[in-house]
Amino acid sequence: MHAHKMALANLWGEMLPQFNNVAGSLFDYGSSRSFESLFERVKNNPSLAFFAAETRLKESEIRLAKTQQQADIDWSVGIRRNADIDESALVAGFSVPLFAEKRAESAVKSALAARNEITFRQQDFLLRIHTQLYQAYTAREQAITSATTLRQSIIPQLADALTQTKTAYQRGLYSYLDLMGRAQGVSFPGESG
């Protein structure tokens, strides 16, 4: 009994049971929400926020790679002194990297591929969660329908059949063996239905 209480406390997020008795109804299933509203709640999963943060990071890497496609023109100005001939000269220079766009193209493609990979992983995650949630949702709905059918239709009919069998036994129409067999759902040779 203590193990069951411990398991129930653990299910409720507690290490030790903080209760002595538990009361409830097996036939109180709670309110049903639509599948769509449940899936909307799943979209607030922290794992999806992680995908969004990772996507923002990859977008910034794409922007950085695109800035490297543009050639940075470097220039310099200075004075050069030649001590041998006792002269000074003004020197100016500039440099332009050639083919900067071509060199940075692979970095841009790599950054785009990394961002697309995150998008595909996010879509895959959503599809898997959607499938799992739908399976759980339909299993719950089916279980509620089965339990309701049992409670409202099948169990009352079985209880009525058992009452009729007991009454027939009490009137002497069945032997004790017949009563026990009927109560357990066993049919005997020569019986119909």
Side-chain angles (χ1 to χ4, degrees):
M1 184 63 136
H2 184 69
H4 296 296
K5 287 172 74 173
M6 181 68 77
L8 186 58
N10 293 159
L11 181 69
W12 290 342
E14 300 288 331
M15 292 297 284
L16 296 172
Q18 303 293 327
F19 55 87
N20 290 324
N21 295 320
V22 178
S25 171
L26 292 176
F27 301 108
D28 182 16
Y29 309 118
S31 62
S32 288
R33 295 184 178 172
S34 71
F35 174 76
E36 290 76 18
S37 69
L38 291 173
F39 189 62
E40 283 302 316
R41 289 184 67 190
V42 166
K43 287 181 181 178
N44 295 328
N45 186 311
S47 296
L48 290 174
F50 170 76
F51 284 120
E54 205 172 353
T55 299
R56 285 192 298 274
L57 176 67
K58 295 304 178 187
E59 288 289 342
S60 65
E61 289 177 5
I62 291 170
R63 285 192 299 275
L64 176 64
K66 284 183 178 180
T67 60
Q68 293 172 353
Q69 281 183 320
Q70 299 167 353
D72 288 335
I73 299 174
D74 236 359
W75 60 274
S76 61
V77 175
I79 297 176
R80 183 175 293 163
R81 171 123 173 95
N82 191 340
D84 292 338
I85 56 173
D86 194 32
E87 281 189 8
S88 295
L90 180 65
V91 178
F94 71 93
S95 66
V96 178
L98 299 176
F99 311 111
E101 189 173 325
K102 282 267 192 212
R103 286 196 315 257
E105 188 176 325
S106 63
V108 171
K109 286 181 179 179
S110 175
L112 284 169
R115 189 218 34 217
N116 291 342
E117 185 236 345
I118 292 169
T119 303
F120 292 134
R121 280 193 335 194
Q122 181 181 10
Q123 290 171 349
D124 179 60
F125 177 79
L126 273 173
L127 283 173
R128 283 187 289 123
I129 291 294
H130 185 274
T131 301
Q132 290 174 357
L133 179 62
Y134 189 75
Q135 288 172 344
Y137 179 81
T138 55
R140 179 184 185 272
E141 293 298 313
Q142 184 178 7
I144 289 172
T145 302
S146 297
T148 303
T149 302
L150 278 170
R151 196 172 113 216
Q152 293 175 352
S153 179
I154 296 173
I155 292 176
Q157 290 178 7
L158 291 175
D160 186 42
L162 182 59
T163 303
Q164 289 177 12
T165 303
K166 284 181 183 178
T167 303
Y169 169 74
Q170 290 169 350
R171 291 183 181 163
L173 298 174
Y174 296 130
S175 68
Y176 183 73
L177 184 60
D178 290 337
L179 174 66
M180 290 290 90
R182 289 178 188 274
Q184 295 175 3
V186 177
S187 62
F188 295 98
E191 286 187 350
S192 61

